[in-house]
Amino acid sequence: MDYKSITENIIDLKNADLALREKLVQSRQLSNGYNEEMKELHNRNAKILSNIVDKIGYPTIDKVGKEANEAAWLVIQHSVGQPEFMKKCAKLLEKAVSENKANPKSLAYLTDRIAVFEGKPQLYGTQFDWDENGNLSPNIFDDLTKVNERRKSIGLNTLEEQTEIMRKQVINENQSPPKDFEKRTQEIEQWRKSVGWTK
């Protein structure tokens, strides 16, 4: 198996993703809903990575190295329009983490992201969104004490510290809350149904 070209391919997917994100940050378009160009890129990347996963299994550190392993996770994390692929990868990642072949933090982020899209409370508080007061806040989670215990167990900072970091980041990137919170909430609900996260 030619892991070298697969490794390079996965890293290229991540670089294309980050380059587009930076372009949207610079043009102040990142906060304006799910950008069409970004949606297309995320779906294309997910399709390519899905073929790779079918070929080699989960891109673990021992197969593709640390950088490509993290790049694969980023692509999976951004494959928001592909619920089945994301959930399949979460199972594979869980196995990889149990074998010390992937980072438990990656699994925490992916588990939370799936929970948020399915309308369930997150376990680690890794996913953030704008709240009705125009602040970036963690999506619903089960219990702050438990969340912080889980975060600590995999080497994450407290949720309070992370909230502060995330709020500074959106200011630095000139992101602003949605002008119409209710409308955006409805749009997200419709999108989640349309791609199959909720019924």
Side-chain angles (χ1 to χ4, degrees):
M1 183 68 70
D2 179 16
Y3 284 126
K4 189 174 183 294
S5 68
I6 289 171
T7 298
E8 287 166 2
N9 193 354
I10 294 170
I11 292 168
D12 286 346
L13 298 179
K14 176 199 77 170
N15 290 340
D17 185 307
L18 294 181
L20 178 56
R21 185 184 190 281
E22 184 54 30
K23 186 180 112 178
L24 295 175
V25 167
Q26 294 304 325
S27 60
R28 296 190 175 195
Q29 291 179 26
L30 197 62
S31 301
N32 303 347
Y34 195 13
N35 177 276
E36 204 54 46
E37 193 182 348
M38 188 173 249
K39 188 197 291 184
E40 281 173 26
L41 180 77
H42 286 166
N43 285 331
R44 188 168 67 240
N45 279 357
K47 196 173 177 189
I48 294 167
L49 186 61
S50 181
N51 291 334
I52 291 171
V53 169
D54 288 345
K55 213 181 288 179
I56 69 163
Y58 194 86
T60 49
I61 295 168
D62 58 318
K63 290 177 192 165
V64 297
K66 190 169 183 283
E67 188 186 356
N69 169 260
E70 287 171 1
W73 165 78
L74 181 96
V75 170
I76 295 161
Q77 194 76 353
H78 288 174
S79 61
V80 296
Q82 311 292 329
E84 294 315 310
F85 172 63
M86 211 185 236
K87 287 189 258 190
K88 172 185 161 184
C89 287
K91 284 197 179 84
L92 295 172
L93 178 54
E94 199 173 340
K95 186 174 184 292
V97 168
S98 73
E99 295 168 351
N100 284 328
K101 293 177 180 174
N103 190 332
K105 289 178 190 171
S106 301
L107 181 60
Y109 274 82
L110 188 55
T111 302
D112 276 357
R113 180 156 277 209
I114 290 168
V116 166
F117 286 142
E118 291 181 335
K120 297 171 184 166
Q122 47 179 343
L123 298 176
Y124 297 89
T126 62
Q127 305 300 297
F128 283 71
D129 203 353
W130 301 104
D131 64 23
E132 61 273 18
N133 300 316
N135 295 315
L136 196 72
S137 296
N139 289 89
I140 56 163
F141 51 86
D142 62 350
D143 174 88
L144 184 59
T145 306
K146 286 178 183 167
V147 165
N148 278 332
E149 281 169 7
R150 290 184 202 115
R151 289 178 70 88
K152 190 179 177 186
S153 74
I154 57 168
L156 291 173
N157 58 0
T158 67
L159 189 52
E160 294 88 340
E161 288 165 340
Q162 187 60 21
T163 301
E164 212 171 292
I165 290 167
M166 295 297 288
R167 286 178 177 171
K168 280 181 185 158
Q169 183 182 322
V170 292
I171 292 166
N172 291 339
E173 292 178 344
N174 291 313
Q175 292 190 52
S176 50
K179 289 177 179 68
D180 186 336
F181 180 78
E182 284 306 315
K183 183 178 174 223
R184 182 172 180 271
T185 304
Q186 286 169 353
E187 284 170 355
I188 290 171
E189 282 309 308
Q190 286 167 345
W191 171 82
R192 280 168 45 191
K193 276 184 184 158
S194 72
V195 296
W197 282 112
T198 56
K199 287 190 166 57

